[in-house]
Amino acid sequence: MKQSKCKKEISVEINNKNILDNGIEIGELARGPLVKYENLEYQEDLSKMINQTEKLLNQAPNIIKEASFTFEITFVV
């Protein structure tokens, strides 16, 4: 366990894998069967994700999970 300034009995080690696993689980729950949606899977070529999002936005109304865009020089999912 990492050294912490908190009391040992309330200190919790933060593990990036746990954070990612929780995010994946929440994402799966959000993709429940009650709503029709478009899910954009991650791709190495980020421009493809952005183009897919733009294409779906032009077909409104819709719900897009993992929509992607850029703001200035930042890629956002």
Side-chain angles (χ1 to χ4, degrees):
M1 184 175 253
K2 291 182 180 180
Q3 191 73 334
S4 174
K5 293 181 182 179
C6 298
K7 293 181 181 179
K8 286 184 181 180
E9 64 270 17
I10 62 170
S11 177
V12 176
E13 182 176 345
I14 296 176
N15 179 326
N16 286 338
K17 183 176 180 339
N18 289 341
I19 293 170
L20 292 174
D21 289 346
N22 287 341
I24 290 169
E25 185 175 344
I26 289 169
E28 289 172 356
L29 290 172
R31 296 180 190 132
L34 301 177
V35 179
K36 182 177 184 270
Y37 62 88
E38 298 290 338
N39 184 42
L40 300 182
E41 296 294 330
Y42 176 79
Q43 297 183 35
E44 291 289 324
D45 185 348
L46 302 180
S47 64
K48 287 182 180 180
M49 294 175 67
I50 294 168
N51 290 336
Q52 287 177 323
T53 298
E54 185 176 359
K55 181 179 176 182
L56 289 170
L57 287 173
N58 289 328
Q59 299 172 7
N62 53 37
I63 298 172
I64 304 170
K65 303 284 184 176
E66 308 297 336
S68 305
F69 61 94
T70 57
F71 177 75
E72 296 179 358
I73 61 169
T74 303
F75 176 74
V76 182
V77 176

